[in-house]
Amino acid sequence: MHPAFSVIFFTVSSGAGFGLFALLYLADALKLGGGLSTNQLLIAGIIGLVLISAGLMSSMFHLANPKNAWRAFSRWRTSWLSREGVFAMVFFPFAVVYLGLTWLGMKEFETLRMLAGGMSMLLAWITIFSTGMIYGCLKTIRQWNTPLVPANYLLLGHFSGALLLLIVAQTGTVEVSSYLNIVLALLVFAAALKAIYYFWIANPGVVSTINTATGFTRARVKLLDAGHTHGTFLTQEFGFQVARQYALFLKAFVFSAGFLIPLLALFGMFGTLTSGLTIIVAIMALLGLIAERWLFFAEARHVVNLFHGAQRC
Amino acid sequence: MRLGLVIDLDVCVGCHACAVACKEWNASGTTAPMTDYQPYGAEPSGVWFNRIRHYEVGEYPNSKTINFPMSCMHCEDADCVTVCPTGASYKRAEDGIVLVDQTKCMGCNYCSWACPYGARELDRESGTMKKCTLCVDRIYDLKIPVEERQPACVNTCPAHARMFGDFDDPNSAVSIEVRERGGYALLPELGYNPTNQYLPVRKAKPIPTENLGKPGFKEKLKGFANRIVKR
Ligand code: SF4
Ligand code: SF4
């Protein structure tokens, strides 16, 4: 599949934003490390909202006819893309109420504040899951049609969100070790799942072939002529292929920048961790995740390629 | 009603006439226009509802070239419709035709991702998704003579490799042909239940190319004539 930068940025940015917000609420509710200060809660919350909004805005650039984008909320009964939009929009009022009441800090509204926060956490989870299912539900792309995909989106969103939360936590007086532990735990799970995913896609198992695509199942089938002189929409959108060497190199980058270097940096600096260093680690990890998302698209092979001569997908 | 096409792979000669007729009719049809990019330039490309590909099946000398027209299959379980977030993609209950409402489409490409047959192409000019309409504006047009109320591709095919009809009616020509000739669907394992069906190539004796035996009298005469006549 053709990797569109707007979609890559959208999934990484809004994933991190939703992950950050959900963890922020959990940290707040459990008074993690003594509890974040009001200012910290607000700053983290606003970073989350900015990331989510930037992501949603970027996803608009992917549309060829954005003036009809408002209609995308109408098919939430069947379409995961529509569901994602609806849940993301429903998330905003709860998140704003939660942050607003946090800002006001009035004791009599505490229950309402926690309720709104809890709802925004749930909606954040559902939204990331929906983003994953946009890809996971497609039967046409074997590399996406697996529960590993939404799980991957959830874990990576929370991992990057946790890193950002750690940065915020470091600016105050809270005990940061519990925040650090959350980052490390999510990092390990996310990396393990990503590794499982890469092993899983490497072994195709039973797949559609050029034979089932054409119906000539008893002989070898070879494309003689695709029937077009130059590329078509189909070759542009689905014909993208990444060289094996390049993919391997990028995978190494995903694991080193996304997981290994952050792990070593965070472990090594356990006592002396400063928020400046964590920012560098977070930028590193986000670059890793962008590479991860790029590969997620580049390595996906749509079955339509079978009609253009691919022997299997 | 379940309208669709039958394509006889044994008969298709790969002339692309159906694709051209389709383009001609639909350039001013319900989803018009069908934009061309650089039609006279170095990289001509554009929107087509119907594309013909050519395959070699089997190994020489028992191989055969098969021409393979493909358009929207008007699937029974069309994921392109379920995934569409705007409701622009829909399947008509009355005749099973799958269409895109050009006034609702936001050009997200999602339906094209869901279609295994490459039947949907984004028109970069209008920013909307385009696809085969089964010439919905032609097959119901009472001003057209009855026998011509068929999709443009079917009407034009010089080899009569295409047939159009109602698959829900067991006595329709399409149902009978599919039943009798073992018509099949493409990529059945994906479960889209496409309406369009393909008729397989008939078994033909391979033409021998080796161990042909001694030439008979006729061959000898031909060989002699070939040697003495200057070409
Ligand atoms: S062939 Fe593709 S576009 Fe046509 S109905 Fe089936 S899935 Fe939809
Ligand atoms: S491109 Fe148009 S028809 Fe296709 S899914 Fe998007 S909005 Fe629906």
Side-chain angles (χ1 to χ4, degrees):
Chain A
M1 298 288 288
H2 167 71
F5 190 73
S6 56
V7 179
I8 292 172
F9 178 78
F10 156 58
T11 56
V12 172
S13 171
S14 70
F18 282 121
L20 170 60
F21 213 96
L23 290 171
L24 169 71
Y25 171 75
L26 277 181
D28 183 17
L30 301 174
K31 296 271 171 291
L32 220 59
L36 294 166
S37 71
T38 304
N39 271 343
Q40 283 175 311
L41 287 174
L42 289 177
I43 290 170
I46 288 167
I47 296 176
L49 291 185
V50 167
L51 285 173
I52 295 167
S53 316
L56 291 174
M57 227 100 92
S58 147
S59 74
M60 295 280 289
F61 290 112
H62 181 61
L63 304 179
N65 194 20
K67 71 173 190 298
N68 277 345
W70 61 275
R71 291 184 188 272
F73 302 114
S74 65
R75 293 301 143 135
W76 51 272
R77 281 158 183 274
T78 62
S79 167
W80 282 106
L81 184 50
S82 195
R83 282 175 200 157
E84 187 214 41
V86 170
F87 288 128
M89 285 304 132
V90 178
F91 163 86
F92 273 100
F94 286 104
V96 168
V97 168
Y98 169 66
L99 288 183
L101 290 177
T102 306
W103 183 51
L104 292 175
M106 286 188 279
K107 279 278 165 289
E108 57 270 39
F109 289 127
E110 187 58 14
T111 327
L112 183 62
R113 187 179 82 88
M114 287 323 261
L115 265 173
M119 278 304 288
S120 40
M121 173 184 71
L122 272 180
L123 286 160
W125 285 343
I126 299 174
T127 311
I128 311 182
F129 177 75
S130 304
T131 309
M133 281 309 287
I134 291 177
Y135 309 100
C137 76
L138 293 174
K139 284 186 278 187
T140 45
I141 300 167
R142 183 189 72 83
Q143 290 85 350
W144 289 356
N145 196 5
T146 159
L148 291 174
V149 166
N152 180 52
Y153 271 72
L154 275 165
L155 276 175
L156 289 181
H158 280 80
F159 163 54
S160 47
L163 261 175
L164 300 176
L165 187 61
L166 177 64
I167 297 173
V168 177
Q170 280 168 329
T171 60
T173 53
V174 286
E175 174 58 58
V176 291
S177 64
S178 45
Y179 292 86
L180 187 58
N181 286 336
I182 293 177
V183 175
L184 291 176
L186 284 166
L187 182 151
V188 170
F189 278 124
L193 193 83
K194 199 66 224 181
I196 292 173
Y197 174 79
Y198 283 142
F199 275 110
W200 180 82
I201 62 165
N203 174 17
V206 182
V207 292
S208 295
T209 63
I210 195 169
N211 300 90
T212 61
T214 55
F216 309 124
T217 47
R218 299 200 201 168
R220 200 192 55 134
V221 179
K222 201 176 99 191
L223 179 75
L224 290 181
D225 189 333
H228 50 75
T229 36
H230 205 267
T232 70
F233 168 77
L234 300 173
T235 58
Q236 285 159 11
E237 188 75 0
F238 305 118
F240 189 89
Q241 234 174 329
V242 50
R244 196 181 298 256
Q245 287 310 313
Y246 193 51
L248 270 179
F249 169 76
L250 269 181
K251 271 177 201 165
F253 180 74
V254 169
F255 276 97
S256 50
F259 305 123
L260 201 61
I261 296 175
L263 182 74
L264 293 179
L266 296 179
F267 242 152
M269 308 282 166
F270 210 86
T272 59
L273 200 61
T274 62
S275 130
L277 182 76
T278 318
I279 289 177
I280 297 174
V281 170
I283 291 173
M284 204 63 198
L286 283 171
L287 286 178
L289 296 197
I290 286 177
E292 182 272 342
R293 215 41 55 88
W294 190 88
L295 264 179
F296 175 74
F297 281 91
E299 286 204 310
R301 298 285 285 151
H302 195 282
V303 286
V304 85
N305 287 299
L306 297 173
F307 297 108
H308 290 147
Q311 289 291 326
R312 44 168 42 223
C313 271
Chain B
M1 256 208 302
R2 193 156 60 91
L3 296 179
L5 301 170
V6 166
I7 289 159
D8 193 338
L9 295 175
D10 198 36
V11 170
C12 175
V13 293
C15 66
H16 295 241
C18 50
V20 176
C22 164
K23 184 116 178 169
E24 193 275 329
W25 177 263
N26 287 295
S28 55
T30 45
T31 53
M34 285 168 83
T35 312
D36 279 322
Y37 319 120
Q38 301 193 28
Y40 306 105
E43 302 180 350
S45 180
V47 182
W48 294 74
F49 295 168
N50 187 16
R51 290 187 183 273
I52 297 90
R53 300 170 182 121
H54 311 272
Y55 299 95
E56 182 186 62
V57 177
E59 315 241 0
Y60 175 84
N62 298 319
S63 60
K64 190 167 179 12
T65 299
I66 294 180
N67 308 300
F68 213 89
M70 280 179 78
S71 60
C72 173
M73 308 279 166
H74 298 280
C75 306
E76 277 300 281
D77 298 300
D79 272 8
C80 59
V81 172
T82 12
V83 303
C84 174
T86 61
S89 284
Y90 63 104
K91 185 173 172 71
R92 292 167 33 131
E94 64 269 35
D95 53 16
I97 299 181
V98 175
L99 293 173
V100 179
D101 183 338
Q102 298 294 307
T103 61
K104 288 187 181 165
C105 175
M106 65 174 184
C108 63
N109 285 356
Y110 196 24
C111 56
S112 73
W113 293 8
C115 171
Y117 304 106
R120 293 173 166 251
E121 301 191 9
L122 184 85
D123 186 333
R124 285 211 302 268
E125 214 55 54
S126 63
T128 53
M129 198 49 76
K130 302 280 170 86
K131 68 177 286 298
C132 157
T133 67
L134 217 54
C135 289
V136 70
D137 46 358
R138 181 179 174 89
I139 56 179
Y140 291 112
D141 190 344
L142 301 179
K143 288 200 225 71
I144 293 177
V146 175
E147 64 280 8
E148 282 177 32
R149 282 180 216 156
Q150 307 199 48
C153 58
V154 176
N155 249 329
T156 211
C157 178
H160 300 290
R162 288 174 167 264
M163 217 181 284
F164 163 71
D166 176 12
F167 285 83
D168 268 350
D169 172 6
N171 298 318
S172 67
V174 283
S175 298
I176 293 171
E177 282 291 312
V178 166
R179 214 165 39 235
E180 290 182 352
R181 298 243 340 253
Y184 64 91
L186 308 185
L187 290 170
E189 69 275 23
L190 295 183
Y192 282 64
N193 289 323
T195 301
N196 286 12
Q197 302 284 308
Y198 286 78
L199 302 181
V201 175
R202 289 179 177 89
K203 270 241 146 51
K205 269 212 197 104
I207 300 164
T209 51
E210 283 166 13
N211 304 326
L212 298 178
K214 280 212 159 66
F217 177 68
K218 214 168 117 195
E219 270 73 44
K220 276 190 192 146
L221 202 66
K222 256 198 223 159
F224 173 71
N226 277 345
R227 269 196 305 275
I228 59 166
V229 178
K230 274 247 155 42
R231 272 185 265 207

